Coordinates of all heavy atoms in Angstrom, one line a residue:
M1 N 0.8 -1.2 0.0 CA 0.0 0.0 0.0 C 0.9 1.2 0.0 O 1.8 1.3 0.8 CB -0.9 0.0 1.2 CG -1.9 1.1 1.3 SD -3.1 0.9 2.5 CE -2.5 1.9 3.8
S2 N 0.6 2.2 -0.9 CA 1.4 3.4 -1.0 C 0.5 4.6 -0.6 O -0.5 4.9 -1.4 CB 1.9 3.5 -2.4 OG 2.4 4.8 -2.6
A3 N 0.8 5.3 0.4 CA 0.0 6.4 0.8 C 0.6 7.7 0.1 O 1.8 7.9 0.1 CB 0.0 6.6 2.3
R4 N -0.3 8.4 -0.5 CA 0.1 9.7 -1.0 C -0.6 10.8 -0.2 O -1.8 10.9 -0.3 CB -0.3 9.8 -2.5 CG 0.6 9.0 -3.4 CD 0.1 9.0 -4.8 NE -1.2 8.2 -4.8 CZ -1.9 8.0 -5.8 NH1 -1.6 8.6 -7.0 NH2 -3.0 7.3 -5.8
I5 N 0.2 11.5 0.6 CA -0.4 12.5 1.4 C 0.0 13.9 0.9 O 1.1 14.2 0.6 CB 0.1 12.3 2.9 CG1 -0.3 11.0 3.4 CG2 -0.4 13.5 3.8 CD1 0.3 10.6 4.8
R6 N -1.0 14.7 0.8 CA -0.8 16.1 0.3 C -1.3 17.0 1.4 O -2.5 16.9 1.8 CB -1.5 16.3 -1.0 CG -1.4 17.6 -1.6 CD -0.3 17.8 -2.7 NE -0.1 16.7 -3.6 CZ -0.2 16.7 -4.9 NH1 -0.7 17.8 -5.5 NH2 0.1 15.7 -5.6
F7 N -0.6 18.0 1.8 CA -1.0 18.9 2.9 C -1.0 20.3 2.2 O -0.1 20.8 1.6 CB 0.1 18.9 4.0 CG -0.2 19.9 5.1 CD1 -1.2 19.6 6.0 CD2 0.5 21.1 5.2 CE1 -1.5 20.4 7.1 CE2 0.2 21.9 6.3 CZ -0.8 21.6 7.2
I8 N -2.2 20.9 2.3 CA -2.4 22.3 1.8 C -2.7 23.2 2.9 O -3.7 23.0 3.6 CB -3.5 22.3 0.7 CG1 -3.2 21.4 -0.4 CG2 -3.8 23.7 0.3 CD1 -4.3 21.2 -1.4
S9 N -1.8 24.2 3.1 CA -2.0 25.1 4.2 C -1.9 26.5 3.7 O -0.9 26.9 3.0 CB -0.9 24.9 5.3 OG -1.0 25.9 6.3
A10 N -2.9 27.4 4.0 CA -2.9 28.8 3.5 C -3.9 29.5 4.3 O -4.8 28.9 4.9 CB -3.1 28.8 2.0
G11 N -3.9 30.8 4.2 CA -4.9 31.7 4.9 C -6.3 31.6 4.3 O -6.5 31.1 3.2
A12 N -7.2 32.2 5.0 CA -8.6 32.2 4.6 C -8.7 32.9 3.3 O -8.1 33.9 3.0 CB -9.4 32.9 5.7
G13 N -9.6 32.4 2.4 CA -9.8 33.0 1.1 C -8.7 32.9 0.1 O -8.8 33.5 -1.0
S14 N -7.8 32.0 0.3 CA -6.6 31.9 -0.6 C -6.8 30.9 -1.7 O -6.0 30.7 -2.6 CB -5.4 31.6 0.2 OG -5.5 30.4 0.9
G15 N -7.9 30.1 -1.6 CA -8.2 29.1 -2.7 C -7.8 27.7 -2.3 O -7.7 26.8 -3.2
K16 N -7.7 27.4 -1.0 CA -7.4 26.0 -0.6 C -8.5 25.0 -1.1 O -8.2 23.9 -1.6 CB -7.3 25.9 0.9 CG -6.2 26.6 1.5 CD -6.2 26.5 3.1 CE -7.4 27.0 3.8 NZ -7.6 28.4 3.7
T17 N -9.8 25.3 -0.9 CA -10.8 24.4 -1.3 C -10.8 24.2 -2.8 O -11.0 23.1 -3.3 CB -12.2 25.0 -0.8 OG1 -12.2 25.1 0.6 CG2 -13.3 24.0 -1.2
T18 N -10.6 25.3 -3.6 CA -10.5 25.2 -5.0 C -9.4 24.3 -5.4 O -9.5 23.4 -6.3 CB -10.4 26.6 -5.6 OG1 -11.5 27.3 -5.3 CG2 -10.3 26.5 -7.2
A19 N -8.2 24.5 -4.8 CA -7.0 23.7 -5.2 C -7.2 22.2 -4.8 O -6.9 21.3 -5.6 CB -5.8 24.2 -4.4
L20 N -7.8 21.9 -3.6 CA -8.0 20.6 -3.2 C -9.1 19.9 -4.0 O -9.0 18.7 -4.4 CB -8.4 20.5 -1.7 CG -8.4 19.2 -1.0 CD1 -7.2 18.4 -1.3 CD2 -8.7 19.3 0.5
A21 N -10.2 20.6 -4.4 CA -11.2 20.0 -5.2 C -10.6 19.6 -6.6 O -11.0 18.6 -7.1 CB -12.4 21.0 -5.4
E22 N -9.8 20.5 -7.1 CA -9.2 20.2 -8.4 C -8.3 19.0 -8.3 O -8.3 18.1 -9.2 CB -8.5 21.4 -9.0 CG -7.8 21.2 -10.3 CD -8.7 20.7 -11.4 OE1 -10.0 20.9 -11.4 OE2 -8.2 20.1 -12.4
L23 N -7.5 18.9 -7.3 CA -6.6 17.8 -7.1 C -7.4 16.5 -6.9 O -7.0 15.5 -7.6 CB -5.7 18.0 -5.8 CG -4.8 16.9 -5.4 CD1 -3.8 16.6 -6.4 CD2 -4.2 17.2 -4.0
L24 N -8.4 16.5 -6.1 CA -9.2 15.3 -6.0 C -9.9 14.9 -7.3 O -9.9 13.7 -7.6 CB -10.3 15.5 -4.9 CG -9.8 15.5 -3.5 CD1 -10.9 15.9 -2.5 CD2 -9.3 14.1 -3.1
R25 N -10.4 15.9 -8.0 CA -11.1 15.6 -9.3 C -10.1 14.9 -10.2 O -10.4 13.9 -10.9 CB -11.6 16.8 -9.9 CG -12.4 16.6 -11.2 CD -12.4 17.8 -12.1 NE -11.2 18.3 -12.6 CZ -10.4 17.7 -13.5 NH1 -10.8 16.6 -14.1 NH2 -9.3 18.3 -13.9
Q26 N -8.9 15.4 -10.3 CA -7.9 14.8 -11.2 C -7.5 13.4 -10.8 O -7.4 12.5 -11.7 CB -6.6 15.7 -11.2 CG -6.7 17.0 -11.9 CD -5.5 17.9 -11.7 OE1 -4.5 17.5 -11.1 NE2 -5.6 19.1 -12.2
E27 N -7.3 13.2 -9.5 CA -6.9 11.9 -9.0 C -8.0 10.9 -9.2 O -7.7 9.7 -9.6 CB -6.5 11.9 -7.6 CG -5.2 12.8 -7.3 CD -4.0 12.1 -7.9 OE1 -3.7 10.9 -7.8 OE2 -3.2 12.9 -8.6
L28 N -9.2 11.3 -9.0 CA -10.4 10.4 -9.1 C -10.6 10.1 -10.6 O -10.8 8.9 -11.0 CB -11.6 11.0 -8.5 CG -11.6 11.1 -7.0 CD1 -12.7 12.1 -6.5 CD2 -11.9 9.7 -6.4
A29 N -10.6 11.1 -11.4 CA -10.9 10.9 -12.9 C -9.8 10.0 -13.5 O -10.1 9.2 -14.4 CB -11.0 12.2 -13.6
A30 N -8.6 10.1 -13.1 CA -7.5 9.3 -13.6 C -7.5 7.9 -13.1 O -6.7 7.1 -13.5 CB -6.1 10.0 -13.3
G31 N -8.3 7.6 -12.1 CA -8.3 6.3 -11.5 C -7.2 6.0 -10.5 O -7.0 4.9 -10.1
R32 N -6.4 7.0 -10.1 CA -5.3 6.8 -9.2 C -5.8 6.7 -7.7 O -5.0 6.2 -6.9 CB -4.3 8.0 -9.3 CG -3.6 7.9 -10.6 CD -2.5 9.0 -10.7 NE -3.0 10.3 -10.8 CZ -3.2 11.0 -11.9 NH1 -2.9 10.4 -13.0 NH2 -3.6 12.2 -11.9
V33 N -7.0 7.1 -7.5 CA -7.6 7.0 -6.1 C -9.1 6.7 -6.3 O -9.7 7.1 -7.3 CB -7.3 8.2 -5.3 CG1 -8.1 9.4 -5.8 CG2 -7.6 8.0 -3.9
H34 N -9.7 6.0 -5.3 CA -11.1 5.7 -5.3 C -11.7 6.6 -4.2 O -11.0 6.8 -3.2 CB -11.3 4.2 -5.0 CG -12.8 3.8 -5.0 ND1 -13.6 3.9 -3.9 CD2 -13.6 3.4 -6.1 CE1 -14.8 3.6 -4.3 NE2 -14.8 3.3 -5.5
P35 N -12.9 7.0 -4.3 CA -13.5 7.8 -3.2 C -13.3 7.3 -1.8 O -13.1 8.0 -0.9 CB -15.0 8.0 -3.6 CG -14.9 7.9 -5.1 CD -13.8 6.8 -5.4
G36 N -13.4 5.9 -1.7 CA -13.3 5.3 -0.4 C -11.9 5.5 0.2 O -11.7 5.3 1.4
G37 N -10.9 5.8 -0.6 CA -9.6 6.0 -0.2 C -9.2 7.5 0.1 O -8.1 7.8 0.5
V38 N -10.2 8.4 0.0 CA -10.0 9.8 0.2 C -10.2 10.1 1.7 O -11.3 9.8 2.3 CB -10.9 10.6 -0.6 CG1 -10.9 12.1 -0.3 CG2 -10.6 10.5 -2.1
L39 N -9.3 10.8 2.3 CA -9.4 11.4 3.7 C -9.0 12.8 3.6 O -7.9 13.1 3.3 CB -8.6 10.6 4.6 CG -8.8 11.0 6.1 CD1 -8.6 9.7 7.0 CD2 -7.9 12.1 6.5
A40 N -10.0 13.7 3.8 CA -9.7 15.2 3.7 C -10.3 15.8 4.9 O -11.4 15.6 5.2 CB -10.2 15.8 2.4
T41 N -9.5 16.7 5.6 CA -10.0 17.4 6.7 C -10.0 18.9 6.4 O -9.1 19.4 5.7 CB -9.2 17.1 8.0 OG1 -7.8 17.5 7.8 CG2 -9.2 15.6 8.3
T42 N -10.9 19.6 7.0 CA -11.1 21.0 7.0 C -11.3 21.5 8.4 O -11.4 20.7 9.3 CB -12.2 21.4 6.1 OG1 -13.5 21.0 6.7 CG2 -12.1 20.8 4.7
F43 N -11.4 22.8 8.5 CA -11.7 23.3 9.9 C -13.1 23.6 10.1 O -13.5 23.8 11.3 CB -10.8 24.5 10.2 CG -9.4 24.2 10.4 CD1 -8.4 24.3 9.5 CD2 -9.0 23.6 11.6 CE1 -7.1 24.0 9.7 CE2 -7.7 23.2 11.9 CZ -6.7 23.4 10.9
T44 N -13.9 23.7 9.1 CA -15.4 24.0 9.2 C -16.2 23.0 8.5 O -15.8 22.4 7.4 CB -15.7 25.4 8.7 OG1 -15.5 25.4 7.3 CG2 -14.8 26.4 9.4
N45 N -17.4 22.7 8.9 CA -18.4 21.9 8.2 C -18.7 22.5 6.9 O -18.9 21.8 5.9 CB -19.7 21.7 9.0 CG -19.5 20.8 10.3 OD1 -18.8 19.8 10.2 ND2 -20.0 21.2 11.4
R46 N -18.8 23.8 6.8 CA -19.1 24.5 5.5 C -18.1 24.2 4.5 O -18.4 23.9 3.3 CB -19.2 26.0 5.8 CG -19.6 26.7 4.5 CD -19.8 28.2 4.8 NE -19.4 28.9 3.6 CZ -18.6 30.0 3.6 NH1 -18.1 30.5 4.7 NH2 -18.3 30.6 2.4
A47 N -16.8 24.2 4.9 CA -15.7 24.0 3.9 C -15.7 22.5 3.5 O -15.5 22.2 2.3 CB -14.4 24.3 4.5
A48 N -16.0 21.6 4.4 CA -16.1 20.2 4.0 C -17.2 19.9 3.1 O -17.1 19.2 2.1 CB -16.3 19.3 5.3
T49 N -18.4 20.5 3.3 CA -19.5 20.3 2.4 C -19.2 20.9 1.1 O -19.6 20.3 0.0 CB -20.8 21.0 3.1 OG1 -21.0 20.4 4.3 CG2 -22.0 20.9 2.2
E50 N -18.6 22.1 1.0 CA -18.3 22.7 -0.2 C -17.3 21.9 -1.0 O -17.4 21.7 -2.2 CB -17.7 24.1 0.1 CG -17.4 24.9 -1.2 CD -17.0 26.3 -0.9 OE1 -17.2 26.8 0.3 OE2 -16.4 26.9 -1.7
L51 N -16.3 21.3 -0.3 CA -15.3 20.5 -1.0 C -15.9 19.3 -1.6 O -15.7 19.0 -2.8 CB -14.2 20.1 0.0 CG -13.2 19.1 -0.5 CD1 -12.4 19.7 -1.7 CD2 -12.2 18.7 0.6
R52 N -16.7 18.6 -0.9 CA -17.4 17.4 -1.4 C -18.3 17.7 -2.6 O -18.3 17.1 -3.6 CB -18.2 16.7 -0.3 CG -18.8 15.4 -0.8 CD -19.7 14.7 0.3 NE -19.1 14.6 1.5 CZ -18.4 13.5 1.9 NH1 -18.2 12.5 1.0 NH2 -17.8 13.4 3.1
G53 N -19.0 18.8 -2.5 CA -19.9 19.3 -3.5 C -19.2 19.7 -4.8 O -19.7 19.4 -5.9
R54 N -18.1 20.4 -4.6 CA -17.3 20.8 -5.8 C -16.8 19.6 -6.6 O -16.8 19.5 -7.8 CB -16.2 21.7 -5.4 CG -16.6 23.1 -5.1 CD -15.4 24.0 -4.9 NE -15.7 25.2 -4.3 CZ -14.8 26.2 -4.1 NH1 -13.6 26.0 -4.5 NH2 -15.2 27.4 -3.6
V55 N -16.3 18.6 -5.8 CA -15.7 17.4 -6.5 C -16.8 16.7 -7.2 O -16.7 16.3 -8.4 CB -15.0 16.5 -5.5 CG1 -14.6 15.2 -6.1 CG2 -13.8 17.2 -4.9
R56 N -18.0 16.5 -6.5 CA -19.1 15.8 -7.2 C -19.5 16.5 -8.4 O -19.8 15.9 -9.5 CB -20.3 15.7 -6.2 CG -20.2 14.6 -5.3 CD -21.5 14.5 -4.5 NE -21.5 13.3 -3.7 CZ -22.1 13.1 -2.5 NH1 -22.8 14.1 -2.0 NH2 -22.0 12.0 -1.9
A57 N -19.7 17.9 -8.3 CA -20.1 18.7 -9.5 C -19.1 18.5 -10.7 O -19.6 18.3 -11.8 CB -20.2 20.1 -9.1
H58 N -17.8 18.5 -10.4 CA -16.8 18.3 -11.5 C -17.0 17.0 -12.1 O -17.0 16.8 -13.3 CB -15.4 18.5 -10.9 CG -15.0 19.8 -10.6 ND1 -14.9 20.8 -11.5 CD2 -14.5 20.4 -9.5 CE1 -14.4 22.0 -11.0 NE2 -14.2 21.7 -9.7
L59 N -17.2 15.9 -11.3 CA -17.3 14.6 -11.8 C -18.6 14.4 -12.6 O -18.5 13.8 -13.7 CB -17.2 13.6 -10.6 CG -15.9 13.5 -9.9 CD1 -16.0 12.7 -8.6 CD2 -14.8 12.9 -10.8
I60 N -19.6 15.0 -12.2 CA -20.9 14.9 -12.9 C -20.7 15.6 -14.3 O -21.2 15.1 -15.3 CB -22.1 15.5 -12.1 CG1 -22.4 14.6 -11.0 CG2 -23.3 15.8 -13.0 CD1 -23.3 15.1 -9.9
R61 N -20.1 16.8 -14.3 CA -19.9 17.5 -15.6 C -19.1 16.7 -16.5 O -19.2 16.8 -17.8 CB -19.2 18.8 -15.3 CG -20.2 19.9 -14.9 CD -19.6 21.3 -15.0 NE -18.4 21.5 -14.1 CZ -18.4 21.9 -12.9 NH1 -19.6 22.1 -12.3 NH2 -17.3 22.1 -12.2
E62 N -18.2 15.8 -16.0 CA -17.3 15.0 -16.8 C -18.0 13.7 -17.2 O -17.4 12.8 -17.9 CB -16.0 14.7 -16.1 CG -15.1 15.9 -16.0 CD -13.9 15.6 -15.2 OE1 -13.7 14.5 -14.7 OE2 -13.1 16.5 -15.0
G63 N -19.2 13.5 -16.7 CA -20.0 12.2 -17.0 C -19.6 11.0 -16.1 O -19.9 9.9 -16.4
A64 N -18.8 11.3 -15.1 CA -18.3 10.2 -14.2 C -19.3 10.1 -13.0 O -19.0 10.3 -11.9 CB -16.9 10.6 -13.6
Y65 N -20.5 9.6 -13.4 CA -21.6 9.5 -12.4 C -21.4 8.5 -11.3 O -21.7 8.8 -10.2 CB -22.9 9.2 -13.1 CG -23.3 10.2 -14.2 CD1 -23.2 9.8 -15.6 CD2 -23.6 11.5 -13.9 CE1 -23.5 10.7 -16.6 CE2 -23.9 12.4 -14.9 CZ -23.8 12.0 -16.2 OH -24.1 13.0 -17.2
E66 N -20.8 7.4 -11.6 CA -20.5 6.4 -10.6 C -19.5 7.0 -9.5 O -19.7 6.8 -8.3 CB -19.9 5.1 -11.2 CG -20.9 4.2 -11.7 CD -20.3 2.9 -12.2 OE1 -19.5 2.3 -11.4 OE2 -20.7 2.4 -13.2
L67 N -18.5 7.6 -10.0 CA -17.5 8.3 -9.1 C -18.2 9.3 -8.2 O -17.9 9.5 -7.0 CB -16.3 8.9 -9.8 CG -15.2 8.0 -10.3 CD1 -14.2 8.7 -11.1 CD2 -14.5 7.3 -9.1
A68 N -19.0 10.1 -8.9 CA -19.7 11.2 -8.2 C -20.6 10.6 -7.0 O -20.6 11.1 -5.9 CB -20.6 12.0 -9.1
T69 N -21.3 9.5 -7.4 CA -22.1 8.8 -6.4 C -21.3 8.2 -5.2 O -21.6 8.3 -4.1 CB -23.0 7.7 -7.0 OG1 -23.8 8.3 -8.0 CG2 -23.8 7.0 -6.0
A70 N -20.1 7.7 -5.6 CA -19.2 7.0 -4.7 C -18.6 8.0 -3.7 O -18.0 7.6 -2.7 CB -18.2 6.2 -5.4
M71 N -18.6 9.3 -4.0 CA -18.0 10.3 -3.1 C -18.6 10.3 -1.7 O -18.0 10.8 -0.8 CB -18.2 11.7 -3.7 CG -17.2 12.0 -4.8 SD -15.5 11.9 -4.3 CE -15.4 13.2 -3.1
G72 N -19.8 9.6 -1.6 CA -20.3 9.5 -0.2 C -19.5 8.6 0.7 O -19.5 8.7 1.9
S73 N -18.6 7.8 0.1 CA -17.7 6.9 0.9 C -16.4 7.6 1.2 O -15.6 7.1 2.0 CB -17.4 5.6 0.2 OG -16.7 5.9 -1.0
A74 N -16.1 8.8 0.7 CA -14.9 9.6 1.0 C -15.1 10.2 2.4 O -16.2 10.6 2.8 CB -14.7 10.7 0.0
R75 N -14.0 10.1 3.2 CA -14.0 10.7 4.5 C -13.6 12.2 4.4 O -12.4 12.5 4.3 CB -13.1 10.0 5.4 CG -13.5 8.6 5.8 CD -12.6 8.0 6.8 NE -12.9 6.6 7.0 CZ -13.7 6.1 7.9 NH1 -14.4 6.9 8.7 NH2 -13.9 4.8 8.0
I76 N -14.6 13.1 4.3 CA -14.3 14.5 4.2 C -15.1 15.2 5.3 O -16.3 15.0 5.4 CB -14.8 15.0 2.8 CG1 -14.0 14.4 1.7 CG2 -14.6 16.6 2.8 CD1 -14.5 14.7 0.3
G77 N -14.4 15.9 6.1 CA -15.1 16.6 7.2 C -14.1 17.4 8.0 O -12.9 17.6 7.6
T78 N -14.6 17.9 9.2 CA -13.7 18.7 10.0 C -12.6 17.7 10.6 O -12.8 16.5 10.7 CB -14.5 19.3 11.2 OG1 -15.0 18.3 12.0 CG2 -15.5 20.3 10.7
V79 N -11.6 18.3 11.1 CA -10.5 17.5 11.8 C -11.2 16.6 12.9 O -10.9 15.4 13.0 CB -9.4 18.4 12.4 CG1 -8.4 17.6 13.2 CG2 -8.7 19.1 11.3
N80 N -12.0 17.2 13.7 CA -12.6 16.5 14.8 C -13.6 15.4 14.3 O -13.5 14.3 14.9 CB -13.4 17.5 15.7 CG -12.6 18.4 16.5 OD1 -11.4 18.2 16.6 ND2 -13.1 19.4 17.1
S81 N -14.4 15.7 13.3 CA -15.3 14.6 12.9 C -14.6 13.5 12.2 O -15.0 12.3 12.4 CB -16.4 15.2 12.0 OG -15.8 15.6 10.7
V82 N -13.6 13.7 11.4 CA -12.9 12.7 10.7 C -12.1 11.8 11.7 O -12.2 10.6 11.7 CB -12.0 13.2 9.6 CG1 -11.0 12.1 9.1 CG2 -12.8 13.8 8.5
C83 N -11.4 12.5 12.6 CA -10.7 11.7 13.6 C -11.6 10.9 14.5 O -11.3 9.8 14.9 CB -9.8 12.7 14.5 SG -8.4 13.4 13.5
G84 N -12.7 11.5 14.9 CA -13.7 10.8 15.7 C -14.3 9.6 15.0 O -14.4 8.5 15.7
S85 N -14.6 9.7 13.8 CA -15.1 8.5 13.0 C -14.0 7.5 12.9 O -14.4 6.3 13.0 CB -15.7 8.9 11.7 OG -14.7 9.3 10.8
L86 N -12.8 7.9 12.7 CA -11.7 6.9 12.6 C -11.5 6.1 13.9 O -11.3 4.9 14.0 CB -10.4 7.5 12.1 CG -10.4 7.9 10.7 CD1 -9.1 8.8 10.4 CD2 -10.5 6.7 9.7
L87 N -11.6 6.9 15.0 CA -11.4 6.3 16.3 C -12.6 5.3 16.6 O -12.4 4.3 17.2 CB -11.3 7.3 17.4 CG -10.0 8.0 17.5 CD1 -10.0 9.1 18.6 CD2 -8.9 7.0 17.9
Q88 N -13.8 5.7 16.2 CA -14.9 4.8 16.4 C -14.8 3.5 15.6 O -15.0 2.4 16.0 CB -16.3 5.5 16.0 CG -16.7 6.4 17.0 CD -18.0 7.1 16.6 OE1 -18.4 7.2 15.4 NE2 -18.8 7.6 17.5
R89 N -14.3 3.7 14.3 CA -14.2 2.5 13.4 C -13.0 1.6 13.9 O -13.1 0.4 13.7 CB -13.9 3.1 12.0 CG -13.5 2.1 11.0 CD -14.5 1.0 10.7 NE -14.1 0.1 9.7 CZ -13.5 -1.1 10.0 NH1 -13.2 -1.4 11.2 NH2 -13.1 -1.9 9.0
F90 N -12.0 2.2 14.4 CA -10.8 1.4 14.7 C -10.5 1.5 16.2 O -9.3 1.5 16.6 CB -9.6 1.9 13.9 CG -9.8 1.7 12.4 CD1 -10.1 2.8 11.6 CD2 -9.6 0.5 11.8 CE1 -10.2 2.7 10.2 CE2 -9.8 0.3 10.5 CZ -10.1 1.4 9.7
A91 N -11.5 1.5 17.0 CA -11.3 1.6 18.5 C -10.5 0.5 19.0 O -9.6 0.7 19.8 CB -12.7 1.7 19.2
F92 N -10.7 -0.7 18.6 CA -10.0 -1.9 19.1 C -8.5 -1.7 18.8 O -7.7 -1.9 19.6 CB -10.6 -3.2 18.6 CG -9.8 -4.4 19.0 CD1 -10.1 -4.9 20.3 CD2 -8.9 -5.1 18.2 CE1 -9.4 -6.0 20.8 CE2 -8.2 -6.2 18.7 CZ -8.5 -6.6 20.0
E93 N -8.3 -1.4 17.5 CA -6.9 -1.3 17.0 C -6.2 -0.2 17.8 O -4.9 -0.2 18.0 CB -6.9 -1.1 15.5 CG -7.3 -2.3 14.7 CD -8.8 -2.3 14.5 OE1 -9.6 -1.6 15.2 OE2 -9.2 -3.1 13.6
A94 N -6.9 0.9 18.2 CA -6.3 2.0 18.9 C -6.2 1.7 20.4 O -5.7 2.6 21.1 CB -7.2 3.3 18.6
G95 N -6.7 0.6 20.8 CA -6.6 0.2 22.2 C -7.6 0.9 23.1 O -7.4 1.1 24.3
L96 N -8.7 1.3 22.5 CA -9.8 1.9 23.3 C -10.9 0.9 23.6 O -11.2 0.1 22.9 CB -10.4 3.1 22.4 CG -9.4 4.2 22.0 CD1 -10.1 5.2 21.1 CD2 -8.9 4.9 23.3

């Protein structure tokens, strides 16, 4: 298994969501990643919703309807919500 981790850090209004949406769209459309393998964190629920929506919209415009539908399996949310869901899912492995 090969993890490709990309960290995007910048100030408010600088285009992080746009850059990340485009990166995800490219990776998904090229088949290099499946929606179930996506883990993206943001600091607000609004940004997470916007990110998921932008990627879905791009995929739908490209006719990639299955990928757009499968975006429901991507882990996209706030840092707290994504980490919380991972801890719930892997509680035993985490020793909890």
Side-chain angles (χ1 to χ4, degrees):
M1 183 167 102
S2 170
R4 286 176 288 178
I5 298 172
R6 181 97 35 121
F7 180 75
I8 298 175
S9 176
S14 62
K16 293 180 299 295
T17 301
T18 300
L20 189 52
E22 178 59 20
L23 174 65
L24 283 173
R25 184 202 62 76
Q26 289 173 4
E27 294 295 313
L28 290 161
R32 290 186 290 264
V33 68
H34 184 273
V38 171
L39 187 146
T41 61
T42 64
F43 285 103
T44 66
N45 288 318
R46 181 176 151 226
T49 301
E50 186 176 338
L51 175 60
R52 186 184 305 272
R54 285 187 191 186
V55 174
R56 276 187 173 151
H58 285 301
L59 293 170
I60 289 169
R61 280 194 297 274
E62 292 177 359
Y65 303 110
E66 280 188 40
L67 278 176
T69 300
M71 281 302 295
S73 65
R75 292 186 190 268
I76 299 174
T78 63
V79 174
N80 289 347
S81 69
V82 170
C83 290
S85 70
L86 289 172
L87 282 173
Q88 284 180 338
R89 168 65 180 91
F90 298 104
F92 180 77
E93 292 86 343
L96 301 175

